[in-house]
């Protein structure tokens, strides 16, 4: 459906690449999340697909038609792509209904279609209001209705919930993806929040410094991350460097990089005897209460600091910690 082939983009004539040699494909109806830290090239990729920028190299095709390549370019409004951004980008001087009508002005049944979209996003009665008379979450649903009204082949959401507080964000996220599911549209969902990505996407594509480092099913990314960056995006992860290897008496292959998720480091004495291959002693230098769990900042014999979380209530000043060799992550880098 969407085919991205060797896409590259530089804003400074090739000195730095915001996006470099990016290739991937989406099938019709896929919901794919793009995850990466700020500056990794997510918005650049979105703008290239939407036709708001031109690529330096590579091509973009949608439903078998080339939209962008070195010598071809389809105007943004001809691309059948719906966009929703972090800023709701509604026209402030137009009502909700007029905002939705804007993109389908030439359509015959535009009034019915606009009302249908309002019903779809649960704002049937709000058509006459102006954007400033709506909450942030409602404005974002209007933006979604406007993007879906022309019946796009592809819907792109670029950090659509980043302006909202946590409670609202979780609620709106499930509302928005329920609506999207009803339409069956193919979705690219850009976020820096891995929880967002894990909750809604079938597949996740990870960008690092403008390059694709992994594209995989959500469950695989956690178990088999391609590098430490990917691992760290899905939970605190520490590199098992030489000092940690010495502390835990676990010599590892020097040609690879190894890491362990903090949550895989065990504190409970029973688990230490039954479920850990490598154990060391640690001094507890700080305890931070986190509701029903406690976060411990530990200092190992080698001087390394480590953070672990436990539900055990009685923690001595010096404790044993350990991990199982099957939980070690190994990367070739
Ligand atoms: P993200 O959306 O992941 O935060 P962006 O695509 O916005 O990343 O940015 C990727 C890189 O490209 C960054 O280094 C950013 O500074 C640079 N960049 C983005 N837009 C422009 C622009 N219009 N002009 C120059 N540099 C830009
Ligand atoms: Mg961005």
């Amino acid at each position: 459906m969407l085919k991205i082939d060797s896409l590259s983009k530089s804003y400074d004539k090739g000195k730095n690449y915001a996006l470099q040699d990016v290739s991937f494909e989406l099938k019709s109806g896929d919901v794919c999340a793009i995850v990466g830290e700020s500056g990794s090239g997510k918005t650049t990729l979105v703008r290239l697909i939407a036709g708001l920028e031109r690529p330096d190299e590579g091509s973009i095709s949608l439903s078998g038609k080339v939209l962008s390549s070195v010598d071809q370019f389809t105007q943004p409004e001809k691309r059948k792509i719906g966009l929703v951004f972090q800023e709701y980008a509604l026209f402030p001087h137009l009502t909700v209904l007029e905002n939705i009508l804007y993109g389908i002005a030439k359509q015959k049944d535009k009034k019915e279609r606009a009302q249908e979209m309002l019903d779809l996003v649960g704002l049937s009665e709000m058509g006459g209001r102006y954007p400033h008379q709506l909450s942030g979450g409602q404005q974002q649903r209007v933006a979604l209705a406007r993007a879906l009204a022309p019946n796009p082949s592809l819907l792109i959401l670029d950090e659509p919930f980043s302006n909202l507080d946590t409670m609202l964000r979780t609620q709106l996220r499930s509302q928005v993806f329920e609506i999207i599911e009803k339409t069956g549209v193919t979705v690219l969902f850009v976020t820096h929040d891995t929880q967002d990505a894990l909750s809604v996407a079938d597949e996740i594509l990870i960008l690092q410094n403008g390059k694709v480092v992994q594209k995989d099913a959500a469950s695989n990314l956690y178990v088999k991350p391609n590098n430490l960056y990917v691992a760290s995006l899905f939970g605190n992860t520490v590199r098992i460097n030489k000092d940690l290897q010495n502390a835990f008496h676990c010599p590892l292959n020097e040609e690879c990089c190894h890491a362990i998720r903090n949550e895989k480091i065990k504190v409970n004495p029973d688990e230490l005897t039954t479920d850990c291959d490598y154990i060391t002693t640690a001094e507890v230098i700080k305890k931070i209460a986190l509701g029903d769990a406690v976060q411990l900042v530990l200092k190992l014999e080698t001087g390394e600091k480590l953070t672990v979380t436990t539900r055990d209530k009685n923690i001595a000043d010096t404790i044993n910690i350990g991990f199982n060799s099957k939980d070690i992550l190994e990367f070739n880098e």
Side-chain angles (χ1 to χ4, degrees):
M1 228 281 305
L2 177 71
K3 188 166 191 294
I4 307 291
D5 194 16
S6 312
L7 204 61
S8 295
K9 173 74 187 172
S10 170
Y11 293 104
D12 52 12
K13 303 204 165 74
K15 256 188 259 158
N16 300 287
Y17 277 87
L19 218 57
Q20 196 164 20
D21 199 19
V22 167
S23 299
F24 67 94
E25 286 181 32
L26 295 188
K27 293 194 298 294
S28 181
D30 276 357
V31 175
C32 175
I34 297 182
V35 173
E37 62 188 5
S38 182
S40 57
K42 303 183 297 297
T43 296
T44 300
L45 176 59
V46 167
R47 291 178 59 82
L48 285 167
I49 297 172
L52 305 171
E53 301 282 355
R54 286 168 186 255
D56 295 341
E57 280 164 61
S59 66
I60 301 165
S61 316
L62 188 62
S63 316
K65 184 170 170 279
V66 177
L67 298 181
S68 288
S69 67
V70 177
D71 50 13
Q72 267 172 291
F73 189 79
T74 305
Q75 290 304 319
E77 61 277 10
K78 299 253 164 70
R79 292 194 171 207
K80 301 195 78 157
I81 293 176
L83 291 171
V84 177
F85 289 107
Q86 177 177 346
E87 325 70 54
Y88 319 119
L90 301 174
F91 300 113
H93 59 288
L94 298 182
T95 65
V96 165
L97 196 62
E98 288 163 351
N99 263 284
I100 299 173
L101 282 168
Y102 185 85
I104 50 172
K106 292 198 188 104
Q107 221 164 291
K108 258 208 316 268
D109 57 348
K110 58 186 181 223
K111 286 255 165 63
E112 292 77 13
R113 179 68 181 165
Q115 190 58 46
E116 189 191 330
M117 288 300 106
L118 270 184
D119 298 344
L120 180 69
V121 300
L123 297 172
S124 307
E125 312 299 319
M126 306 274 182
R129 292 211 193 171
Y130 286 89
H132 75 268
Q133 297 170 316
L134 300 177
S135 70
Q138 288 169 333
Q139 287 184 52
Q140 200 54 303
R141 275 146 64 197
V142 175
L144 177 66
R146 188 177 60 178
L148 289 173
N151 199 18
S153 307
L154 174 69
L155 178 68
I156 306 181
L157 308 150
D158 190 354
E159 311 238 14
F161 311 125
S162 299
N163 271 340
L164 305 164
D165 58 56
T166 317
M167 276 257 280
L168 185 59
R169 155 189 196 107
T170 317
Q171 195 190 356
L172 185 69
R173 183 178 71 206
S174 48
Q175 284 172 352
V176 161
F177 279 89
E178 262 172 45
I179 296 164
I180 285 172
E181 217 167 279
K182 278 187 207 158
T183 66
V185 67
T186 310
V187 179
L188 257 190
F189 171 39
V190 173
T191 177
H192 65 268
D193 184 318
T194 50
Q195 279 312 314
D196 269 357
L198 291 172
S199 340
V200 300
D202 312 314
E203 272 214 312
I204 300 179
L205 180 142
I206 311 285
L207 277 183
Q208 179 183 21
N209 300 327
K211 292 185 186 155
V212 177
V213 284
Q214 194 161 1
K215 179 171 184 277
D216 219 330
S219 50
N220 283 352
L221 279 172
Y222 182 83
V223 187
K224 273 196 83 43
N226 278 353
N227 67 16
L228 191 56
Y229 172 78
V230 177
S232 305
L233 285 173
F234 295 87
N236 291 338
T237 308
V238 282
R239 191 174 183 139
I240 311 177
N241 59 15
K242 265 271 160 292
D243 284 341
L244 273 195
Q245 290 177 33
N246 289 338
F248 282 93
H249 309 290
C250 69
L252 296 168
N253 176 0
E254 281 182 22
E255 277 156 33
C256 297
C257 160
H258 299 88
I260 182 97
R261 296 190 181 281
N262 293 59
E263 64 196 42
K264 298 290 186 191
I265 300 173
K266 310 252 160 55
V267 177
N268 181 285
D270 295 337
E271 281 185 290
L272 283 171
T273 42
T274 58
D275 198 26
C276 290
D277 305 322
Y278 303 115
I279 295 178
T280 191
T281 307
E283 183 191 340
V284 180
I285 55 176
K286 202 169 177 186
K287 297 179 191 174
I288 303 160
L290 302 172
D292 60 351
V294 187
Q295 190 178 62
L296 307 176
V297 181
L298 306 173
K299 194 168 158 197
L300 308 188
E301 287 165 338
T302 48
E304 293 279 300
K305 283 194 185 151
L306 257 188
T307 307
V308 298
T309 303
T310 175
R311 284 173 199 280
D312 294 357
K313 287 285 174 287
N314 300 314
I315 299 292
D317 293 338
T318 301
I319 60 172
N320 284 331
I321 59 168
F323 56 85
N324 191 309
S325 53
K326 76 171 171 24
D327 290 326
I328 296 175
L329 302 169
E330 188 177 275
F331 318 112
N332 299 313
E333 59 168 28

